[in-house]
Amino acid sequence: PWVSFQSHSYALHSRGTSEGKGGIIHAKSAEEIAADLTQAAEFLGANEAFAYPFGDGDEDAVEGLKRAGTLCGFLIENRRIKPGDAPEELPRVRISGDYTQEGFRYLVTPNGGEQ
């Protein structure tokens, strides 16, 4: 009950442009991106969150996300979410298997768990 699988796209996680980090998403229109995300949502049965392939997004990607009805999208900017951040272009905190429980708590708790 605590885990859900969300989208990383159906078929957009490949290289193919020289823009951004080189992801094919830059070569797609908002309509094509929305269609891909809709197909991914049908496959997964979920459409709440999207991790941009290569952490790479642009205006068409944001518009495609909105058209597909996805609630939020994550880039690869490594920081906590702050009030006012656009839901379609959220940063994320990188987590690896090497963290202690205290280190994990610091990363995912506002202000590092400080009161």
Side-chain angles (χ1 to χ4, degrees), residues 74-86:
F74 292 91
L75 302 168
I76 57 170
E77 182 181 357
N78 188 22
R79 67 172 175 84
R80 291 182 179 96
I81 295 170
K82 295 186 262 183
D85 284 341

Side-chain angles (χ1 to χ4, degrees), residues 44-62:
L44 288 172
N47 192 30
E48 290 85 18
F50 174 65
Y52 289 95
F54 306 108
D56 223 358
D58 59 16
E59 290 178 14
D60 283 329
V62 169

Side-chain angles (χ1 to χ4, degrees), residues 17-89:
T17 68
S18 59
E19 295 180 54
K21 295 178 181 51
I24 194 71
I25 198 165
H26 289 289
K28 303 294 182 180
S29 68
E31 294 82 17
E32 291 170 314
I33 294 166
D36 180 275
L37 297 181
T38 299
Q39 188 173 6
E42 289 170 1
F43 180 80
L44 288 172
N47 192 30
E48 290 85 18
F50 174 65
Y52 289 95
F54 306 108
D56 223 358
D58 59 16
E59 290 178 14
D60 283 329
V62 169
E63 182 60 28
L65 191 78
K66 290 177 181 178
R67 290 182 188 189
T70 307
L71 299 177
C72 62
F74 292 91
L75 302 168
I76 57 170
E77 182 181 357
N78 188 22
R79 67 172 175 84
R80 291 182 179 96
I81 295 170
K82 295 186 262 183
D85 284 341
E88 303 84 13
E89 299 177 283

